[in-house]
Amino acid sequence: MNREVSNQARPPELRTAIIVGVLLAGEDDTLSEDLSELTQLLATLKIQVGGRVMQKRQKVTPRFFVGEGKVDEIKQLAQELGSKLVIFDRTLSGPQVRNLEEHTGCEVQDRTSVILEIFARHARTAQAKTQVEIARLEYLMPRMTGAWSHLERQRGGGVQRGMGEKQIEVDRRLARERMSRLRRQLDGMQKDRQNQRKARLSELKVALVGYTNSGKTSIMIAMTKANVQAEDVLFATLDSNVRTLDPSTRPKVLLSDTVGFIRNLPHGLIESFKSTLDEVLEADLLLHVVDVSHPNFRVQMQTTEDVLREIGAGDIPVLMVFNKLDKVADPVLPKILKAAYKNSEFVSAHRDDDMARLRRHIIQYFEENLVRATLDVPADDQGLLSQIYKSCLILGTDFSVQDRARFEVRAAPAILAKLHSHVISLAEGPFQGLKDSKL
Ligand SMILES: Nc1nc2c(ncn2[C@@H]2O[C@H](COP(=O)(O)OP(=O)(O)OP(=O)(O)O)[C@@H](O)[C@H]2O)c(=O)[nH]1
Ligand SMILES: [Mg+2]
């Protein structure tokens, strides 16, 4: 079987795949929804699903992941449908891919490689491209032994099958070297972004987070009049975009749009996208956008919460934004959610009134949650100074008294509590200084 030929000779929009879902003992049965999600992911790659195969198993078999009988079933279905592509909604090992390919005569891919492919196609900026390539190499490295087909495809067929251990060693070394080069490049890009972020220290930062396709970019567009694309595909956005809330406020409120999350996001991807997700880590407030019209929105919410915790953003205040309300037919659901999530917003990104209300909510949040204070600290305490710069909004500085630095700041009460020994005056009551230019 010559995969390069079969891949390139068929226009990609004509590819049909068989998808395979496996439920293991002790797991929640969301097989059907999971396979629907995989179908949607594949549609992004212009691959249509010809058939679904499901299996419930006690545990994984090392050779094929599923049982041998199932592999025969897959093979037969592939022959009936004339399909040459089988995609598992699981992560497979290199040997499993090879065994399955040999047994079925089809190209076999797994969920991780599908997600990586989507990320690769959607990456626009140099940073996103570098991040995706690192993640891809990480995925490929442990699969290199015997996984010749992947290597061949990567290199456009430059390597012959069965060249032996030596070639594997060489490839591994080349991959490792490439990875360290890419990591160094990424570090450089990160420094540039950090400098850009430093320039934004005195602004209030809000980050849109949530499951892929939940409507983050649509909300971003509606609230900032940004010229970015919202699309009905998964992972339309891979780069963070930062825009000012429009109409603007003083100080400015910045809104950033980020890459969407997904169940079983490949770990390498989370790792490599951490720098993009810095926008999330540095946010004063997260808007967790949920597509409440999606049948699986609760699992999606949970996934988003898990990823937020994993990247270290678990403690940032969250405003829940239940989106796509226009698509919800059930009148009871919003009521239940309203009761469960106090202070949450129910919106449609397409309704101007809703977006105006969400904007007010964000402004109100900052009005209620930031306190104004004057801090007095030793001018040479670098650690303390950097802590203040990092965690407070600096309204003014005064270095006129020798060896002392005075800061007029606005900060969250929790931050001021930490800095309490340096606070020399505190404004009474909630901070009222955020000017809404619309009022
Ligand atoms: N009916 C309806 N559709 C919406 C709403 N919000 C977003 N959409 C649609 O949902 C799709 C996804 O929207 P995006 O804004 O691109 O979603 P995203 O969260 O940025 O997605 P990724 O960047 O792919 O993670 C688009 O087709 C939007 O037009 C809404 O409130 N109602
Ligand atoms: Mg988006």
Side-chain angles (χ1 to χ4, degrees):
M1 184 179 49
N2 187 331
R3 256 172 302 250
E4 278 104 276
V5 172
S6 65
N7 274 352
Q8 281 163 15
R10 271 169 192 253
E13 57 271 26
L14 291 184
R15 300 193 81 198
T16 300
I18 290 171
I19 56 176
V20 184
V22 185
L23 184 72
L24 297 175
E27 291 178 342
D28 289 341
D29 188 355
T30 53
L31 260 187
S32 171
E33 290 92 346
D34 293 351
L35 289 185
S36 298
E37 181 175 90
L38 183 62
T39 304
Q40 227 185 330
L41 284 167
L42 290 171
T44 304
L45 295 175
K46 299 205 164 43
I47 295 172
Q48 65 178 22
V49 172
R52 291 176 168 205
V53 175
M54 300 190 218
Q55 184 169 47
K56 295 185 182 175
R57 288 193 67 83
Q58 274 307 108
K59 57 182 176 44
V60 172
T61 64
R63 189 153 170 238
F64 294 121
F65 201 102
V66 288
E68 196 161 337
K70 244 336 159 206
V71 185
D72 289 334
E73 194 184 309
I74 294 168
K75 182 180 179 179
Q76 202 179 347
L77 187 62
Q79 277 167 357
E80 279 166 23
L81 295 169
S83 167
K84 282 287 188 196
L85 179 60
V86 175
I87 296 169
F88 274 63
D89 193 33
R90 287 278 182 170
T91 302
L92 299 170
S93 70
Q96 281 164 348
V97 170
R98 196 187 48 209
N99 295 338
L100 284 161
E101 289 192 334
E102 273 168 9
H103 210 86
T104 60
C106 293
E107 176 184 346
V108 174
Q109 290 197 20
D110 66 5
R111 181 184 168 86
T112 308
S113 65
V114 169
I115 294 176
L116 285 168
E117 180 65 32
I118 296 175
F119 271 64
R121 289 203 194 172
H122 291 186
R124 296 280 172 269
T125 61
Q127 183 169 11
K129 284 183 178 150
T130 311
Q131 287 168 333
V132 174
E133 200 179 341
I134 292 172
R136 275 187 132 178
L137 283 169
E138 251 166 22
Y139 173 80
L140 280 175
M141 287 253 281
R143 290 172 173 75
M144 279 184 169
T145 315
W148 290 102
S149 53
H150 288 109
L151 209 57
E152 279 167 15
R153 249 179 292 152
Q154 277 271 304
R155 301 181 150 210
V159 181
Q160 296 297 307
R161 240 174 224 268
M163 282 177 70
E165 201 59 34
K166 240 185 169 164
Q167 187 61 45
I168 294 172
E169 293 302 319
V170 173
D171 285 322
R172 281 236 172 103
R173 181 170 52 74
L174 288 175
R176 263 197 304 273
E177 282 168 11
R178 173 136 190 83
M179 238 151 73
S180 18
R181 218 171 26 249
L182 290 169
R183 287 220 168 92
R184 276 198 301 278
Q185 282 172 10
L186 196 59
D187 279 350
M189 295 178 208
Q190 246 164 294
K191 290 217 174 77
D192 290 346
R193 284 184 80 96
Q194 266 163 15
N195 291 336
Q196 288 169 15
R197 271 198 301 272
K198 272 202 192 115
R200 301 198 294 256
L201 260 178
S202 62
E203 284 140 353
L204 299 166
K205 293 181 285 295
V206 179
L208 288 154
V209 295
Y211 210 76
T212 182
N213 213 43
S214 58
K216 301 174 293 298
T217 302
S218 304
I219 291 177
M220 170 91 165
I221 293 169
M223 299 220 296
T224 66
K225 314 283 187 292
N227 186 20
V228 283
Q229 286 279 312
E231 286 176 67
D232 195 13
V233 295
L234 304 185
F235 301 115
T237 310
L238 287 193
D239 301 295
S240 299
N241 284 304
V242 183
R243 297 281 186 285
T244 312
L245 215 61
D246 181 283
S248 71
T249 53
R250 261 185 319 135
K252 279 184 185 153
V253 174
L254 297 182
L255 198 60
S256 63
D257 184 17
T258 55
V259 57
F261 301 151
I262 196 163
R263 186 178 54 86
N264 298 338
L265 195 64
H267 190 77
L269 269 182
I270 299 185
E271 253 322 294
S272 62
F273 271 82
K274 267 192 177 151
S275 55
T276 308
L277 293 169
D278 277 353
E279 304 288 353
V280 174
L281 289 179
E282 292 180 7
D284 302 292
L285 175 68
L286 301 179
L287 301 191
H288 178 172
V289 182
V290 180
D291 173 359
V292 78
S293 73
H294 195 284
N296 244 4
F297 78 89
R298 287 180 197 277
V299 178
Q300 300 187 341
M301 275 169 71
Q302 187 60 51
T303 300
T304 301
E305 283 163 18
D306 292 346
V307 178
L308 285 175
R309 250 194 314 279
E310 190 173 339
I311 63 169
D315 294 331
I316 303 174
V318 176
L319 166 57
M320 293 302 299
V321 180
F322 294 101
N323 188 36
K324 306 201 190 180
L325 201 61
D326 55 299
K327 281 173 79 181
V328 177
D330 176 4
V332 182
L333 180 64
K335 287 189 185 136
I336 294 173
L337 289 171
K338 252 178 210 153
Y341 296 90
K342 299 250 166 7
N343 217 16
S344 52
E345 280 289 342
F346 290 78
V347 301
S348 165
H350 298 159
R351 278 195 218 129
D352 291 347
D353 289 0
D354 289 0
M355 291 299 98
R357 198 180 64 247
L358 181 57
R359 179 177 173 283
R360 271 300 320 155
H361 196 144
I362 295 169
I363 291 171
Q364 198 183 345
Y365 171 83
F366 285 120
E367 283 175 353
E368 284 171 4
N369 288 282
L370 292 186
V371 179
R372 190 170 177 151
T374 308
L375 306 175
D376 180 78
V377 298
D380 61 353
D381 189 338
Q382 292 304 328
L384 190 56
L385 293 181
S386 93
Q387 194 187 347
I388 291 172
Y389 276 111
K390 266 193 208 143
S391 59
C392 304
L393 267 174
I394 315 286
L395 303 175
T397 48
D398 178 0
F399 288 92
S400 59
V401 180
Q402 211 192 351
D403 300 334
R404 307 297 300 174
R406 259 190 197 185
F407 293 94
E408 273 295 307
V409 301
R410 194 152 49 229
I415 302 282
L416 291 178
K418 276 191 209 154
L419 296 167
H420 70 275
S421 57
H422 307 288
V423 174
I424 55 171
S425 82
L426 199 63
E428 287 293 311
F431 172 66
Q432 294 295 340
L434 192 68
K435 293 274 183 298
D436 187 347
S437 58
K438 250 178 82 185
L439 296 176

